[in-house]
Amino acid sequence: MHSEKIDIPGQLSRLPLFATIGDEAIAHIAAATREKRLARGEVLFQRGDLPRGFHVVVQGQVKLAVSSAQGNEKVVEIVGPQQSFGEAVMFMDRPYLVFAEALMDTLLLTIAKNAVFELLENDRQFARRMLAGLSMRLHGLVRDVESYTLHSSTQRLIGYLLQHCESFEAGPNAEQTIALPTSKQVIASRLNLTPETLSRIFAELSHAGLIAVQGKQITIHDPVRLARYEP
């Protein structure tokens, strides 16, 4: 994996979380930040480990997941570039409830909790941004529970595909192709589906003329018609 040193202050200043703080505060945070490079399949932390800060993905992807005693895995979240994770357990000073594993070669920044706590005490705007980020994460978890409870398997997959569309138009020129960001097995777990169910739904949507599947490339012929589909 490419090991050239990165510009940590520059990376931090480009993150929405740190957009409003000054150069002096950025330098202070950067001094307490370490870069971490993970190869695909490498684990950042295990369930039960104690957090020493929180993490930001610069490049790559990380899955947060839990495993049962029988070896079954449930993907809780897929974290991509410019996204952070681990803030909540850092504040609670509790062990991680999930494990974190790189889905591809990944570059992370780990920001020490002491530096974060100092910034929270001195910068109200940063505190608000941190609270907003945690609130968005909570709303996302609530939406997940709602989706698993109220939406069918097909509706969950359609919703996931439409989230990755660049536009949402109807008509003959609305076709667009998206690339699935990770394996179908991981996506199935994220959507609380079995891989067999995911494959069946892809086949059903293809048969209905709504999508075409070629590996990780999914062509959506008409996003509006896909959104209206009812199995």
Side-chain angles (χ1 to χ4, degrees):
M1 191 174 182
H2 188 55
S3 59
E4 181 182 343
K5 282 286 185 180
I6 66 167
D7 175 15
I8 291 179
Q11 291 290 342
L12 291 174
S13 64
R14 286 190 286 272
L15 293 172
L17 182 61
F18 299 108
T20 61
I21 70 175
D23 292 342
E24 185 176 342
I26 285 286
H28 179 69
I29 291 291
T33 299
R34 298 291 178 266
E35 65 175 274
K36 176 72 174 178
R37 297 177 186 270
L38 301 175
R40 179 182 178 181
E42 189 174 350
V43 173
L44 176 65
F45 56 75
Q46 295 283 3
R47 178 173 181 169
D49 289 349
L50 287 171
R52 295 190 293 270
F54 76 99
H55 313 277
V56 177
V57 177
V58 177
Q59 300 169 0
Q61 279 185 337
V62 172
K63 72 175 178 183
L64 307 180
V66 293
S67 294
S68 69
Q70 294 75 32
N72 299 319
E73 182 178 286
K74 172 68 179 77
V75 177
V76 176
E77 191 170 3
I78 300 170
V79 187
Q82 305 295 301
Q83 293 181 314
S84 60
F85 60 99
E87 301 97 321
V89 289
M90 176 189 71
F91 285 122
M92 294 186 297
D93 200 25
R94 299 281 298 275
Y96 290 113
L97 298 175
V98 298
F99 70 87
E101 179 184 321
L103 291 172
M104 59 181 68
D105 289 353
T106 297
L107 172 60
L108 296 164
L109 296 178
T110 298
I111 303 166
K113 63 181 179 181
N114 289 342
V116 176
F117 291 165
E118 290 173 10
L119 189 54
L120 286 171
E121 291 177 2
N122 298 313
D123 191 321
R124 292 183 179 179
Q125 211 164 14
F126 174 75
R128 291 192 189 101
R129 283 179 176 270
M130 182 67 78
L131 285 171
L134 291 172
S135 297
M136 288 176 63
R137 190 75 49 80
L138 176 60
H139 282 296
L141 291 173
V142 171
R143 284 196 302 269
D144 283 349
V145 172
E146 180 183 38
S147 174
Y148 300 153
T149 306
L150 302 178
H151 297 163
S152 70
S153 300
T154 301
Q155 289 171 328
R156 295 204 295 275
L157 178 56
I158 288 174
Y160 179 83
L161 294 175
L162 293 175
Q163 285 176 7
H164 289 79
C165 287
E166 293 182 358
S167 60
F168 199 78
E169 301 174 355
N173 298 319
E175 181 174 289
Q176 56 185 292
T177 299
I178 64 173
L180 297 179
T182 186
S183 70
K184 292 176 183 176
Q185 182 176 0
V186 170
I187 292 170
S189 180
R190 179 69 182 86
L191 297 176
N192 210 30
L193 306 172
T194 65
E196 294 76 18
T197 298
L198 185 75
S199 296
R200 176 183 58 77
I201 298 171
F202 270 130
E204 175 186 322
L205 297 177
S206 298
H207 183 72
L210 296 167
I211 65 172
V213 181
Q214 187 171 9
K216 287 187 177 182
Q217 302 295 315
I218 311 295
T219 299
I220 300 173
H221 300 306
D222 186 330
V224 173
R225 195 159 68 92
L226 178 62
R228 293 173 178 167
Y229 177 72
E230 294 185 7

